[in-house]
Amino acid sequence: MRVVVLTGAGISAESGVPTFRDADGLWEGHRVEDVATPEAFARDPETVHRFYDARRAALAAVAPNPAHEALGRLERALGDDLLLVTQNIDDLHERGGSADVLHMHGRLRSALCAGCGARTGWEGPMLDAAPCADCGGDLRPDVVWFGEVPLGMDRIQRAVAGCEVFCSIGTSGAVYPAAGFVQYAAAYGARTLELNLVPSEGTAHFAEARHGPASVLVPAWVDELLGD
Ligand code: APR
């Protein structure tokens, strides 16, 4: 059984990582155009670095929840028949036991050289970091900002077109291209399922939708899928 799982900020909410669009979400306290665009970084790199440095530091205080752990279990059962795609830049899927995670919006614990594109694992603050050891370029957070192209789209499109089950977890369905994967999966014949606290903006596109906390819905769905 080939399965694609797409996750968003909602899967990490119960671990204490704020979502973007809920009340008290990150986009309530920050303007996207100040911290999450290439133009913002060109204009005011210090503000952008401080925003991501704070979020990277906050990772130390959170832990995966049963939803992340259930997806780790699903990977161990399905192997390469599972593609786990996340829009999240935290590392809770990895810490929850998933070895192969496609971070389509990048990763907090990685630095990207704006000059040569080299990627380096990163801990601690990036503000005032030394330039790239290879080319002398400036380092930036390895995250995909608004107006930039998500990572891994070829692999995602192949997997979505070829899957039998497409499950979206904890995402508002507000940001494309991820919000469009469900229609693509359905067009290629997949069974589609939404697991989210409340109906997402795209809920009508799913054949089935279950609403409640990810920490409850995801383990139950994985049990069901694996026939436990
Ligand atoms: N369990 C399940 N779902 C939850 C939970 C929970 N405990 N808590 C919140 N949610 C749901 C919310 O109802 C909402 O629909 O998670 C969703 C989070 O939506 P967003 O905050 O919009 O996050 P996301 O969909 O991941 O955003 C997509 O937008 O800002 C950009 O690049 C950023 O990757 C991000 C992208």
Side-chain angles (χ1 to χ4, degrees):
M1 177 177 38
R2 290 185 307 279
V3 177
V4 174
V5 172
L6 169 70
T7 66
I11 197 167
S12 296
E14 290 164 83
S15 294
V17 180
T19 61
F20 294 97
R21 292 174 183 78
D22 294 306
D24 296 329
L26 277 173
W27 296 154
E28 294 265 295
H30 298 270
R31 284 163 21 116
V32 167
E33 54 271 36
D34 289 340
V35 293
T37 64
E39 292 78 14
F41 189 63
R43 194 171 55 236
D44 185 358
E46 184 171 332
T47 296
V48 175
H49 273 309
R50 284 191 198 287
F51 177 73
Y52 289 98
D53 283 353
R55 300 186 59 206
R56 191 177 308 104
L59 290 183
V62 299
N65 68 57
H68 300 104
E69 286 160 3
L71 294 178
R73 190 153 55 83
L74 187 63
E75 182 189 76
R76 289 191 290 284
L78 297 183
D80 290 345
D81 283 342
L82 172 71
L83 179 63
L84 173 56
V85 181
T86 187
Q87 299 166 89
N88 299 344
I89 59 179
D90 66 51
D91 61 352
L92 293 178
H93 281 306
E94 286 85 350
R95 286 155 64 192
S98 295
D100 183 14
V101 186
L102 199 162
H103 283 268
M104 64 179 288
H105 291 169
R107 295 188 304 120
L108 277 170
R109 286 189 156 150
S110 175
L112 175 68
C113 172
C116 68
R119 294 193 150 87
T120 323
W122 203 264
E123 301 294 334
M126 208 177 290
L127 181 67
D128 299 330
C132 172
D134 292 337
C135 78
D138 288 334
L139 297 187
R140 55 165 276 184
D142 189 5
V143 299
V144 175
W145 287 320
F146 287 92
E148 296 184 316
V149 180
L151 305 171
M153 286 303 294
D154 286 352
R155 185 174 173 212
I156 297 171
Q157 274 166 357
R158 273 197 308 277
V160 170
C163 72
E164 288 142 83
V165 177
F166 175 82
C167 181
S168 171
I169 302 169
T171 176
S172 60
V175 174
Y176 283 78
F181 294 166
V182 57
Q183 284 159 284
Y184 194 56
Y188 278 88
R191 192 152 57 86
T192 57
L193 170 66
E194 164 170 287
L195 304 178
N196 204 56
L197 193 57
V198 296
S200 74
E201 289 182 27
T203 197
H205 297 302
F206 291 85
E208 192 189 342
R210 301 176 189 173
H211 298 126
S215 65
V216 174
L217 295 184
V218 179
W221 172 68
V222 168
D223 286 349
E224 194 181 299
L225 203 65
L226 298 179
D228 288 351

